[in-house]
Amino acid sequence: MNPATALATVLVDELLCAGMAEAVLAPGSRSAPLALALEAADRAGRVRLHVRVDERSASFLALGLAKRTGRPVALVCTSGTAAANFHPAVIEASETGTPLLVLTADRPPELRGTGANQTIDQVKLYGSAVRWTCEVGAPEERPGMVAYWRSMASRAYAVAMMPDPGPVHLNVAFREPLIPGGDESWCEPLDSGAGSGPWTKVRSGMPGAVLRVPATRRGVLVVGDGAANVKRYVAAASMAGWPVLSEPIGNGRYGDNAMSSYHFLLGVQEFVEQHRPEVVVTLGKPGLSKPLLSLLRRAQEHIVVSPSLARWPDPVRSATQVAQEVEIPVVSGDDGWLKSWKAADQAAAAAVDKVLDEGDEVTEPRLARDLAASIPGGSLLFASASMPVRDLDQTMRPRRGLRILANRGASGIDGLVSTAMGTALAHSGRSYALLGDLAFLHDQNGLVMGPAEPVPDLALVVVNNDGGGIFSLLPQASLRGSFERIFGTSHQVELAHIAAAHGIPYKRLEKASGLSRAVAGEGLRIVEARTDREVNAALHVRMRQAAHDAVKTML
């Protein structure tokens, strides 16, 4: 099957599974895959299709259908000015809160800006008049596309419906061929595999609407960045006998059910096969651990708790339900599920600690572990978005009384010194920041303060491995000839000189055991910890191997 036909087939089917009953089509060439999919659905009695030769009339016809039914209506056209003719009706739908699903066919990226026929800039064509816009991208035959298309389509339908109904724009790029022909096979099943329901069910946002999680002992709570009501859900998961897999910045890594070595556990295939959860409930946005993201794909039911029903995190397109509030029921019975997780977690943590505690050398993972463990209760810890927060994720042991923050929304390197200082100025207790050298250098202007400005009580702990340490753990490290210049990016800057230029107290951490003394003090201060990138990469390999071996011996 050609990719255009596959995308259109899946897209239309998912919208029908979500509840769409009416569609309006303005004919054209580039939109042929969508037109054929809608016409086939019309013949099968799954949708009522309306065809109009004028795009403006078509759009207002769809508006009228949506106004009367209160349900999203698909509005389809080809590329170019055809899409522009939808704009008045889109504006009217936005102002009146009328749900519309605007599907504009488009040329693929390689034809844009070239003078290719009937090609205009359709990206965000309707501006603020739509509740959500998505550049779908040209389809390709590779695994994972069906989950993307269905997740995106079900989200579009949900956003058009609530909590603030209105138009949604999907800009769908198609490469030729545009009509079916030849081999009809595809690399993965095109059907949803979930009956007639939508890929992702979105719970109504009505007050008091609480989704009751299926009762099971084999559940897992995952807590990522930006999670809300963490204490409530951690308590509920503990009562239900579920392990809690919280990223440090999720601030749910405390209590008896908190797992600190899940990154390593979920890298052991034998453990994964024996510990497939029936339900996973996710708070916030997880994204630090690839093995954790893989767990979300394997869950039979993945429920995302999101304050907004117009926007929710679903990084691997695995969410089956989305709700603003859920109830995790307590189920009596055997607690072997939790005991198994705990035993494996403790074994992996002990193996990792044994590796880290060899000698007194300063290493990045040990520094992250020891800093999180040693700073006083009530403290705030701000972490760089690259390696420091990942080192925390892999080594921080459960504890209470610590607030951890990071800029993981876009995971950028910029502005981290200034952000850390802002969080410290707003925090009532001691504050610490764990930064990489490049992040520190990128925002060294954040150290500039006028003499009358309030000074934060903040220890800036800077891991200096003379460059971009994370690349030594990525496939780029194999590119020996060009690696150092374009990925390693050695800078050879003396951080002590920067501290002196700003009149900021400076210490260098010489031994791992000297951390508490090095970060002690008041006001703004800098602590430098020098490490070696290649040694750090080898240490991560040893940690992983030790943890995996420890878990395998238990299975």
Side-chain angles (χ1 to χ4, degrees):
M1 179 177 293
N2 68 61
T5 298
L7 167 56
T9 299
V10 171
L11 187 59
V12 169
D13 181 67
E14 185 59 38
L15 292 177
L16 294 172
C17 289
M20 184 185 74
E22 307 271 3
V24 179
L25 169 68
S29 175
R30 190 60 54 164
S31 56
L34 290 170
L36 291 168
L38 285 169
E39 193 270 338
D42 179 74
R43 282 189 285 107
R46 300 184 65 197
V47 70
R48 188 166 63 158
L49 178 63
H50 312 266
V51 181
R52 298 293 186 274
V53 296
D54 176 70
E55 285 82 9
R56 185 175 180 275
S57 296
S59 63
F60 279 100
L61 173 65
L63 180 74
L65 287 165
K67 276 180 175 290
R68 181 63 185 85
T69 63
R71 297 167 65 182
V73 172
L75 175 61
V76 180
C77 72
T78 191
S79 64
T81 57
N85 279 293
F86 283 172
H87 207 154
V90 170
I91 291 173
E92 179 64 20
S94 179
E95 295 300 317
T96 57
T98 304
L100 277 183
L101 296 165
V102 184
L103 279 62
T104 56
D106 200 355
R107 262 59 177 174
E110 64 268 19
L111 294 182
R112 299 175 189 174
T114 64
N117 187 48
Q118 209 168 318
T119 305
I120 66 171
D121 184 1
Q122 296 178 200
V123 177
K124 298 188 176 180
L125 178 63
Y126 306 114
S128 60
V130 293
R131 301 295 186 264
W132 181 51
T133 183
C134 178
E135 170 70 2
V136 176
E140 301 173 357
E141 185 172 4
R142 56 184 174 85
M145 295 298 285
V146 172
Y148 162 49
W149 297 333
R150 287 193 179 276
S151 173
M152 174 268 301
S154 61
R155 181 186 294 240
Y157 190 92
V159 172
M161 278 290 289
M162 59 183 184
D164 178 21
V168 167
H169 178 209
L170 302 181
N171 194 54
V172 190
F174 291 119
R175 292 189 177 98
E176 295 181 348
L178 302 174
I179 60 174
D183 185 7
E184 291 300 300
S185 64
W186 192 253
C187 64
E188 58 182 345
L190 293 177
D191 60 84
S192 66
S196 59
W199 184 265
T200 304
K201 299 176 183 177
V202 182
R203 182 74 174 180
S204 170
M206 299 296 292
V210 178
L211 173 63
R212 183 176 174 83
V213 175
T216 178
R217 298 286 291 184
R218 296 177 65 89
V220 171
L221 176 67
V222 172
V223 188
D225 185 34
N229 298 319
V230 174
K231 291 183 178 179
R232 169 191 163 188
Y233 286 108
V234 168
S238 298
M239 291 288 291
W242 291 9
V244 176
L245 281 50
S246 175
E247 297 181 345
I249 49 180
N251 291 286
R253 191 176 292 192
Y254 60 86
D256 293 338
N257 291 33
M259 305 291 127
S260 63
S261 298
Y262 59 78
H263 173 81
F264 300 109
L265 301 184
L266 298 175
V268 178
Q269 188 60 36
E270 296 90 337
F271 180 87
V272 169
E273 291 173 356
Q274 296 177 25
H275 294 79
R276 182 184 180 188
E278 293 177 353
V279 177
V280 173
V281 173
T282 299
L283 313 177
K285 182 178 77 171
L288 296 179
S289 169
K290 288 184 178 179
L292 177 59
L293 295 178
S294 295
L295 176 75
L296 303 183
R297 293 190 185 96
R298 288 189 292 268
Q300 297 176 32
E301 185 89 24
H302 176 203
I303 300 172
V304 174
V305 182
S306 174
S308 171
L309 294 183
R311 181 183 179 199
W312 61 83
D314 184 17
V316 294
R317 306 282 181 179
S318 59
T320 55
Q321 297 195 70
V322 179
Q324 290 175 306
E325 188 175 354
V326 305
E327 177 185 336
I328 300 175
V330 177
V331 182
S332 59
D334 179 36
D335 61 351
W337 168 256
L338 180 60
K339 285 182 177 179
S340 180
W341 274 88
K342 283 185 174 182
D345 183 69
Q346 291 167 4
V352 169
D353 287 341
K354 184 177 180 180
V355 172
L356 295 182
D357 291 335
E358 294 175 358
D360 203 13
E361 180 184 0
V362 177
T363 64
E364 297 176 33
R366 179 171 177 175
L367 175 61
R369 182 199 65 179
D370 293 352
L371 183 64
S374 62
I375 56 181
S379 295
L380 179 144
L381 175 58
F382 182 86
S384 281
S386 188
M387 278 310 300
V389 72
R390 287 181 168 86
D391 282 333
L392 282 171
D393 188 43
Q394 295 176 25
T395 66
M396 176 187 164
R397 304 304 169 223
R399 66 159 293 180
R400 297 180 185 272
L402 186 61
R403 182 66 184 273
I404 304 179
L405 299 174
N407 285 356
R408 285 289 297 179
S411 301
I413 195 177
D414 45 331
L416 296 178
V417 171
S418 299
T419 305
M421 293 178 69
T423 61
L425 286 168
H427 187 65
S428 59
R430 294 295 181 91
S431 296
Y432 306 82
L434 182 60
L435 308 176
D437 50 337
L438 294 186
F440 176 78
L441 294 173
H442 199 283
D443 191 32
Q444 57 184 296
N445 278 352
L447 301 173
V448 179
M449 294 181 291
E453 298 306 312
V455 177
D457 180 4
L458 173 65
L460 291 167
V461 181
V462 183
V463 176
N464 184 4
N465 53 35
D466 191 32
I470 192 171
F471 293 108
S472 295
L473 303 174
L474 299 178
Q476 289 91 328
S478 64
L479 306 173
R480 287 298 177 183
S482 53
F483 175 81
E484 188 58 30
R485 183 182 182 193
I486 62 177
F487 296 109
T489 58
S490 171
H491 54 79
Q492 300 182 9
V493 175
E494 289 290 339
L495 303 192
H497 294 172
I498 294 177
H502 293 281
I504 299 173
Y506 165 89
K507 292 180 183 178
R508 179 170 167 180
L509 179 63
E510 302 289 352
K511 295 182 179 180
S513 58
L515 177 61
S516 295
R517 293 189 299 275
V519 300
E522 296 181 352
L524 183 62
R525 53 213 188 273
I526 296 172
V527 178
E528 180 184 4
R530 293 192 181 181
T531 63
D532 181 274
R533 281 185 261 129
E534 291 193 3
V535 171
N536 181 61
L539 179 62
H540 274 269
V541 172
R542 290 179 58 208
M543 288 165 50
R544 181 172 63 251
Q545 189 61 56
H548 288 187
D549 289 345
V551 174
K552 288 178 181 178
T553 60
M554 303 182 58
L555 299 175

